[in-house]
Amino acid sequence: MSNIADLIEAYILRQLAAQQDGKVELRRTDIADEISCAPSQISYVLSTRFTQDKGFVVESRRGLGGFIRIVQVPTRNMVYQDMLDKIDKDTELPMVQSMVHYLLQHQMITNREAALVMQVVVSAFESPNCTDEERVHLLKSLLLTLENFS
């Protein structure tokens, strides 16, 4: 027999799966009635099993008319967004190289894509004619393209 936390998680995941857009808005009381549990148990499940690290964004309001909004965010998008946020005019070549290696190690890009990106990145950093702003634009464009085509 499953424990209450597993039942709550399964219920929420079923509700998410029924939505096409990866978003669901639920009421704590509805979940509690459906599963016969306390609202605090729902809060525990939300805080431990629906975290950003696991690809979820949770917004919660308590009280009368309160709700729980859960959005499933593809983990790949979070990785690319984190990388995009880290790129600025002070970003150095080793940092960008480690980003490319990370994408390759986690099979988010192929060896061929990594080799092409590395060639462009090294050229951008070594070129005396490439300004910091142009390099930032180029690096962000590369990451956005990889994200959109993966």
Side-chain angles (χ1 to χ4, degrees):
M1 181 177 222
S2 297
N3 66 32
I4 295 291
D6 291 339
L7 294 173
I8 295 167
E9 179 184 23
Y11 177 83
I12 293 171
L13 289 173
R14 276 194 312 276
Q15 298 301 315
L16 263 171
Q19 303 300 316
Q20 297 296 322
D21 60 359
K23 298 178 193 174
V24 69
E25 195 168 300
L26 305 166
R27 293 173 37 98
R28 256 188 192 81
T29 56
D30 294 343
I31 299 171
D33 291 345
E34 179 78 22
I35 299 175
S36 300
C37 67
S40 62
Q41 290 171 303
I42 297 165
S43 298
Y44 168 78
V45 170
L46 291 172
S47 66
T48 59
R49 300 189 184 191
F50 291 89
T51 63
Q52 280 192 326
D53 292 344
K54 295 179 181 175
F56 296 96
V57 175
V58 177
E59 180 183 349
S60 177
R61 286 219 179 105
R62 294 178 182 253
L64 204 55
F67 64 88
I68 303 164
R69 184 176 299 132
I70 303 169
V71 179
Q72 193 168 16
V73 180
T75 307
R76 286 177 168 261
N77 292 2
M78 291 171 55
V79 169
Y80 281 109
Q81 189 56 54
D82 182 54
M83 288 181 179
L84 286 166
D85 291 343
K86 289 179 180 174
I87 293 176
D88 60 24
K89 64 181 183 65
D90 297 321
T91 304
E92 296 182 359
L93 179 59
M95 170 72 131
V96 179
Q97 288 173 318
S98 73
M99 289 177 180
V100 175
H101 284 292
Y102 179 90
L103 294 173
L104 181 61
Q105 285 176 333
H106 290 87
Q107 299 176 343
M108 296 174 73
I109 60 174
T110 65
N111 284 329
R112 183 177 183 184
E113 291 167 337
L116 289 168
V117 170
M118 285 297 233
Q119 188 64 45
V120 171
V121 166
V122 169
S123 295
F125 274 94
E126 291 179 352
S127 172
N129 299 327
C130 190
T131 67
D132 290 342
E133 291 79 20
E134 291 170 332
R135 187 171 49 251
V136 167
H137 179 73
L138 175 68
L139 295 173
K140 288 188 175 198
S141 294
L142 278 170
L143 285 173
L144 287 170
T145 301
L146 289 171
E147 178 184 17
N148 291 332
F149 286 95
S150 64

